[in-house]
């Protein structure tokens, strides 16, 4: 941590900062510049962070050198983690395709979609039963009945499933059924929900919030890890920018930065990022080429009648084509692809 | 609603759209342009909205003419609403100052802050007991003990209080004590929480999300209104932009747009928008001049030791000076200011 | 300047940095933290900045303590400047209204608009003859003929005029006629144009670019000042954000930050920021309340037939009402208003 | 074009709009909705666009159906274009690598960089001699001497070169030497410069502005095309967002949208988008996988002493590795790669 003094700061101001540091058991290294004097703080950074140094006379601002997260940081855990969702590993050593319907609407729709997902090479299924919708007049999900349908999908395909949770009260019930619980973009800073999934005995997929910096995203992951659950997969899904042509702006470089700053697996959801079918495949291909650990794709047997996000869903045939492209690119960059058994 | 056909759309495509409209009991008005044919849909807009027209052959895109919210819209309720928080009215006919500590830290700190708030002309108090913090290592609030302190503050000042709720499980307990429950920026699209405060018998202050358009903000308010609670005050508190010099970018014009599009009172929180003490007063003055229905200001007796957001809190003396300025500007533009009884 | 070392940096890496600093005639102060070692650099900051320290072994990143601008910085010139445009002073000690047509379209339109501007209390006129338009199919301005009309407007009202320049080749010609040359938002980082207006013997109004941080804006001003012209007025006019309801998002706090970081006068253009007539007056009132040194307002006798930006222009009557409001608010906060001589 | 009437609009208001349309030789199709009446305008859209319909009584807003650009639109020119830079084609049928130094600093530095570029498979060279720099204290380029060095690079490698122009006065001189002139991100709405390169007899590479929507980018291209030069290559290079971890946010989906909306080749500059060496290769790989027509990469023999943008430049060895990866991915998706002769 570095305290930067104002140009008008007096010797007494500088001494007072140094004294405060020493009173907390630390050391203060003073560099007197021609304009600003700066003071390097050495000692218990966490204690230093609790002080609002800017309030002391003569202090201009404070610069934090370390990261505001620890348990998820690459710094202290340089080996990348692999998270197992059911029997499927997700991590830097492999490439995983997750696919399925955005929302579970009926048993037929879910089964057709998940079988297409498996045929396309997916080794994890997606399918939501509680949908956070911008408008209260939109379809809100099947709830409990949806969970039963998902269990049937898993029984028939043998693949593990990931399901979104939208409230503390759902978490334990969803975690009984799902192989991975997902926290969505609108709840990415719902800290009570993060704490609750931190107590669940299931891997957690944590989407990046629409307006979240990578630093904030990793701090959200820290909430989960702090409660004892370090089976976390980060999922980039586009951020909000001024560009209206796509639903959001997919930040692929942000995915790569998160892989660099944390030891967690980091994946990409191109479907929700772009919101338009003809762009989804291009962005999924880009994600694997950029080194994403997994991609998650919406599939629907009849996108034109989907109750949620139809315009971005691939048809089963399109999904199978995409799966083939993703495998080829993964091979081209020397990355093995997860495969479902038989 | 308007359906825009692709330039290659055939007569059969156009007929199919018109037929679909008629089958839903509506009428279709076709305008054949030199490039695009457009079809105006007249009838039950809600039913039309449920159809994914883009999926029909030859359809390029759809334009929604109406607003995606109804109960909070000015369109159908042109008279502006006034919401009473305790005995204090908030609305277009008056101007209200809300002030107090960001977080309740102790009885002393809370009492000094709320008395300063009252002395500065505040007629509603603020003070939080559950704090949603970006970092899990930051102070998370006093919880239940904080609520008792707030009751004491109200007893001593006679002023109503507004308190943030961060999870469905807190809402009913906070609503017993608080005169107004607040949904914060990070929960502005926590739809389960919105539904729950919609069931509370207390006014709701709904902050704008960091990355929320005004349309989305009003749809969030619609979630609350739909459950039967239309005592809603909207609060602009800055949006996330590329500019790092301030914590967020205060969107005062957004406040004015929300006043125009909805009948709800709309207020401003300059403290959380800018995050720096020397800018808070300037933005509070700007808010009243722009026509805000209220402002909410963080006050702390000793900002330098505050456990939360110290750098943005005004001292009691600064708050009293600001109160005087706000009254003068309100007068200059002919707007009466709420006053607490002697 | 502070060099932060990687956690794996060796003593040799640290010594190499310190040695390099000393070889440049500076001093290096080393603070060894538990995770990172940091090195404070004291000496000729400009020389240090030219080195790419990140390229040295073991260096993680570099933190710049000083500002990247000097001549326009408040640091080295704490007294706020006043810039005279014709006989009208613009600065912290007064409040100035600038008004007139967005674009000069005809002598009649310009004369009616500028007379209304004067009647409303404006002491500087605006009116453009070269219009930078997003679409090549939009009206591009009257050019030379427009300059003659503006001279006539000045002759009849006695007020100085501010005119936009859009290319190096126009600058000297416009500067012969105009009392102030303006660099628009789309050219705010057209560095060749900035250098040229730096050579003009006229005050320069420098608008903030649509995506410019305040730091970058002040560096753009530095380009002008470096060429010898320090008669610069900064003009906030909205930044680009995700919110579509207004043309841009007016960053009033950004205006206040620019006043704090530089000694230059800083003003606001609410018309171009919001793009909608019913919001312009509210934002102009907010600007004066926030402490802006001037506002600039588009006026048009018949906005419905304006060739450029009609939807944001006030009618002469609306302008006169607004002038009255602005004077009252300025008085309420104790700020004298510039007045034209009878 | 569609005119949407206010809910309070009278029959007379509707008639007045229809009458105005007819007086301009067009037809008006009226759809009376339960809330809003809408009027479809058929006829000369360009004439209609010149009218400010919002100014007519009872008009709420206007919706433009067509695109604001024509000559560069895919609509009217569905076959993708190929642009030849020297002997190298750039377009949908091939994939091209452009590489070289960000700025020309010396003959040695330029020759080493361009030879590495060629060895890595580049078939076009880059190298700038006029640098638009945020700070006036940064290196501004070698100017004329730099052009001579570039000619020498071309002589020795046989490859065509692309060079940035920053002012109208440079365009014709640069166009004599360069095989392609580039308009940079900060000049992307410098309309005078766009008009001038529209007159040059050289292909133009047009970078997207930092805060430009795709619609605005294509309108900027229209300025060039309108002057008679339709040899335009669009270059996505990152947009400005709230995320500070990368210099800009690379909008790869925006690249794909531009390919869909226009017939022009669209390429990607990952170096300037992310600004950090360890991310450049990942984003270049993503770009080819997403279908970009070309990528442009900064190369420098000694990035640690580069005068401009060293932290993002690849070393010659890194560039050669990247070239190999790009070829493999291009093959995997069935796209032929341009190759230099022998």
């Amino acid at each position: 941590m570095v305290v930067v003094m104002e140009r008008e700061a007096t010797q007494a101001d500088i001494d007072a900062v140094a004294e405060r540091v020493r009173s907390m058991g630390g050391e203060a290294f003073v560099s007197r510049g021609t304009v600003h004097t700066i003071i390097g703080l050495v000692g218990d950074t966490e204690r230093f962070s609790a002080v609002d140094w800017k309030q002391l006379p003569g202090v201009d601002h404070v610069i934090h050198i370390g990261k505001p997260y620890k348990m998820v940081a690459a710094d202290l855990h340089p080996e990348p983690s692999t998270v197992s969702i059911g029997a499927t590993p997700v991590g830097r050593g492999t490439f995983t395709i997750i696919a399925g319907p955005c929302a579970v609407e009926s048993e037929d729709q879910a089964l057709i979609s998940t079988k297409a997902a498996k045929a396309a090479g997916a080794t994890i299924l997606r399918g939501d039963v509680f949908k956070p919708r911008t408008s209260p007049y939109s379809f809100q999900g099947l709830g409990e009945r949806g969970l039963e349908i998902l269990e049937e999908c898993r029984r028939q395909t043998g693949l593990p499933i990931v399901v979104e949770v939208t409230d503390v009260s759902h978490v334990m019930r969803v975690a009984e059924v799902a192989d991975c619980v997902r926290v969505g973009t609108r709840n990415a800073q719902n800290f009570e929900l993060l704490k609750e999934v931190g107590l669940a005995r299931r891997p957690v997929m944590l989407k990046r919030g629409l307006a979240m910096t990578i630093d904030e995203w990793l701090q959200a992951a820290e909430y989960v890890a702090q409660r004892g659950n370090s089976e976390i997969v980060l999922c980039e899904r586009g951020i909000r920018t001024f560009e209206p042509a796509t639903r959001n702006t997919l930040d692929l470089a942000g995915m790569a930065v998160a892989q660099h700053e944390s030891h967690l697996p980091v994946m990409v959801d191109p479907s929700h990022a772009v919101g338009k079918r003809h762009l989804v495949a291009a962005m999924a291909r880009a994600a694997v080429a950029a080194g994403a650990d997994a991609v998650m794709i919406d599939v629907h047997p009849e996108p034109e009648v989907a109750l949620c996000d139809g315009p971005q869903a691939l048809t089963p045939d399109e999904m199978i084509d995409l799966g083939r492209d993703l495998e080829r690119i993964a091979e081209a960059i020397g990355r093995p692809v997860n495969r479902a058994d038989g």
Side-chain angles (χ1 to χ4, degrees), chain A residues 73-88:
Chain A
D75 267 11
L76 306 174
H77 189 314
E79 192 69 25
S81 304
T82 293
V83 171
S84 288
I85 297 179
T88 305

Side-chain angles (χ1 to χ4, degrees), chain A residues 68-69 188-189 191 194 206 208-209 211-223:
Chain A
Y69 42 86
Q189 289 192 312
F191 301 113
L194 293 172
L206 176 58
R208 181 178 180 185
M212 233 181 188
T213 62
I214 293 162
D215 245 36
E216 291 168 344
W217 189 17
L218 293 178
Q219 287 178 78
E222 188 86 0
Y223 265 97

Side-chain angles (χ1 to χ4, degrees), chain A residues 164-292:
Chain A
E164 177 162 7
V165 288
T166 60
D167 189 62
V168 166
S169 61
H170 303 150
V171 171
M172 293 306 161
R173 173 62 189 133
V174 171
E176 274 175 39
V177 174
D179 300 279
C180 173
V181 295
R182 198 174 73 243
V183 175
T185 194
R186 283 169 190 75
N187 283 309
Q189 289 192 312
N190 177 341
F191 301 113
E192 300 306 317
L193 187 60
L194 293 172
K195 291 173 189 170
E196 188 72 6
V197 299
L199 299 172
R201 296 170 174 271
R202 289 290 181 197
V204 175
M205 185 187 294
L206 176 58
K207 286 202 161 182
R208 181 178 180 185
L210 223 48
M212 233 181 188
T213 62
I214 293 162
D215 245 36
E216 291 168 344
W217 189 17
L218 293 178
Q219 287 178 78
E222 188 86 0
Y223 265 97
V224 179
Q226 222 195 21
R227 299 289 154 137
N229 188 347
S230 56
E231 300 289 298
I232 305 166
V233 177
L234 299 171
C235 182
E236 158 65 28
R237 46 78 68 215
I239 57 174
R240 180 147 277 181
T241 71
F242 63 82
E243 176 57 61
T246 46
R247 186 168 165 167
N248 300 284
T249 298
L250 181 63
D251 183 12
L252 268 188
M255 180 278 296
V257 170
Q259 285 183 331
H260 189 255
E261 298 298 329
S262 92
H263 59 84
L264 303 175
V266 189
M267 55 171 288
V268 169
D269 175 349
S271 301
H272 287 79
V274 296
K276 289 185 179 167
R277 184 173 308 118
H278 76 274
L279 299 171
V280 170
M283 291 305 106
R285 292 194 311 260
V288 59

Side-chain angles (χ1 to χ4, degrees), chain A residues 30-49:
Chain A
V30 177
S31 318
R32 241 168 273 275
T34 43
V35 181
H36 294 284
T37 289
I38 65 168
I39 307 175
L41 273 53
V42 175
D44 181 345
T45 312
E46 218 160 313
R47 269 189 84 187
F48 295 154
S49 293

Side-chain angles (χ1 to χ4, degrees), chain A residues 95-119:
Chain A
F95 176 73
T96 304
I97 300 174
I98 305 173
C102 178
V104 173
E105 299 169 14
S106 72
E107 188 162 327
D108 272 11
Q109 170 258 8
L111 280 171
I112 297 174
S113 303
T114 57
K115 284 175 185 171
K118 184 170 183 179

